[in-house]
Amino acid sequence: MNLSGVLFFPVTPFDSEGALAADVLAEHIGRGLEHGPGGVFVACGTGEFSALSQAEHARAVEVAVKTVQGAVPVLAGAGGPLGAALEQARAARAAGADGLLLMPPYLMLGSRAGFAEYVRAIAAELPVVVYQRGALVLEPDAVVELARIPGVVGLKDGLGDIDRFQRTVLAVRREVGPDFTFFNGLPTAELTMPAYRGLGVELYSSAVFAFAPEIATAYFNGGELSERLLAEFYAPLVELRGKGPGYAVALVKAGLRLRGLDVGPVRAPLSDLTPEHEAELRALIERGLALVSA
């Protein structure tokens, strides 16, 4: 799968009635496409995957595929109970999605062999990028085993265990080959990209791209400005993210609202930013945009 550049994870907008706002989602994705992302990941973590009904999930994927029109790959979130994950995968395939980001199963991970069968069943529907985070902690030889399953094309790392991830990359490159895709999936991934680049991993998901693509693109382009953005924008953003549970998503939606796109609130059990924290975010966005435009 040809993923490159900054990976765009759109939010899922909700209207005043709390329903999925398909027109706003299309506008959100369209705005992002103007800044050249290397892939669109819809109804994933930033898109509040765990809060969507199956019908909402399917509709979000349809909107994304229709909006992108083949310009870049579109991947949809899938996961949870096997039956639900298969429904999501089949709906995504019917909509024309290019692949899936496979979220870890909740509560019941089972054995290593059991997880491999779970992945195998879903990868039979669409190409799969496995998302390693939370309770799903994979040893390098387990990733090699998964990488050999037809349809498993990549691993997104949400753990940040550099030692383990380095050994994983080396093992997969040695045993499977160079075409398997790795990317950094930590929240506010830009802050940790210097470490991941040291492992030979260039791809990353960018939450900032969803609400400030100018800043995310400027960071991606490198140079002295990237260093200033890390120190003056990204590091303070990570500190702000840590001030409330669920802020990894709530910050993105607040950022979009501050920039003029009404994507609605986050869904329970997440909570929106406090007014104080929203004011901090506004100042950070202004600072980041000023650096980019200087």
Side-chain angles (χ1 to χ4, degrees):
M1 185 174 295
N2 186 24
L3 295 170
S4 61
V6 182
L7 303 180
F8 175 22
F9 283 66
V11 305
T12 301
F14 302 122
D15 62 22
S16 59
E17 303 290 321
L20 189 150
D23 56 339
V24 181
L25 176 59
E27 181 178 357
H28 174 35
I29 294 173
R31 289 185 183 186
L33 288 173
E34 294 175 0
H35 295 268
V40 174
F41 287 69
V42 64
C44 294
T46 306
E48 297 180 80
F49 165 79
S50 62
L52 301 179
S53 70
Q54 297 288 67
E56 289 172 329
H57 178 280
R59 179 65 177 136
V61 179
E62 288 175 0
V63 169
V65 171
K66 183 177 180 180
T67 304
V68 172
Q69 295 186 339
V72 296
V74 174
L75 286 83
L82 179 58
L86 288 172
E87 284 187 26
Q88 292 154 357
R90 289 163 184 162
R93 184 183 64 192
D98 299 287
L100 304 167
L101 178 63
L102 187 56
M103 310 292 187
Y106 301 104
L107 298 180
M108 297 182 64
L109 282 176
S111 66
R112 172 169 155 176
F115 181 68
E117 287 307 307
Y118 173 86
V119 173
R120 188 185 307 277
I122 298 164
E125 304 293 335
L126 274 175
V128 159
V129 174
V130 176
Y131 191 2
Q132 173 179 242
R133 63 171 295 173
L136 182 63
V137 180
L138 299 167
E139 293 297 329
D141 60 338
V143 179
V144 169
E145 180 181 345
L146 294 174
R148 287 176 171 151
I149 295 174
V152 177
V153 299
L155 178 71
K156 177 183 180 182
D157 181 53
L159 295 179
D161 184 333
I162 296 298
D163 175 274
R164 180 190 302 273
F165 201 57
Q166 176 70 92
R167 290 184 288 113
T168 297
V169 171
L170 291 172
V172 172
R173 294 284 182 255
R174 181 180 64 249
E175 301 294 333
V176 179
D179 295 332
F180 192 80
T181 298
F182 292 99
F183 67 92
N184 175 3
L186 289 172
T188 319
E190 286 90 343
L191 197 67
T192 54
M193 275 312 296
Y196 278 80
R197 288 194 178 104
L199 309 182
V201 175
E202 294 291 336
L203 278 175
Y204 60 96
S205 57
S206 176
V208 170
F209 188 94
F211 67 90
E214 308 95 326
I215 297 173
T217 303
Y219 169 82
F220 177 79
N221 288 336
E224 182 181 343
L225 179 56
S226 292
E227 297 301 317
R228 292 197 66 187
L229 286 170
L230 279 179
E232 299 178 40
F233 174 78
Y234 284 104
L237 184 66
V238 169
E239 292 177 9
L240 178 56
R241 192 190 72 217
K243 293 182 179 181
Y247 268 17
V249 177
L251 280 170
V252 180
K253 280 199 156 178
L256 280 160
R257 293 193 300 270
L258 288 169
R259 303 208 66 200
L261 188 63
D262 185 4
V263 294
V266 293
R267 273 186 178 170
L270 299 182
S271 299
D272 285 305
L273 272 61
T274 66
E276 175 188 1
H277 293 157
E278 186 166 311
E280 289 185 43
L281 178 62
R282 183 191 297 274
L284 272 177
I285 293 173
E286 291 173 354
R287 176 58 179 158
L289 292 174
L291 286 169
V292 169
S293 61

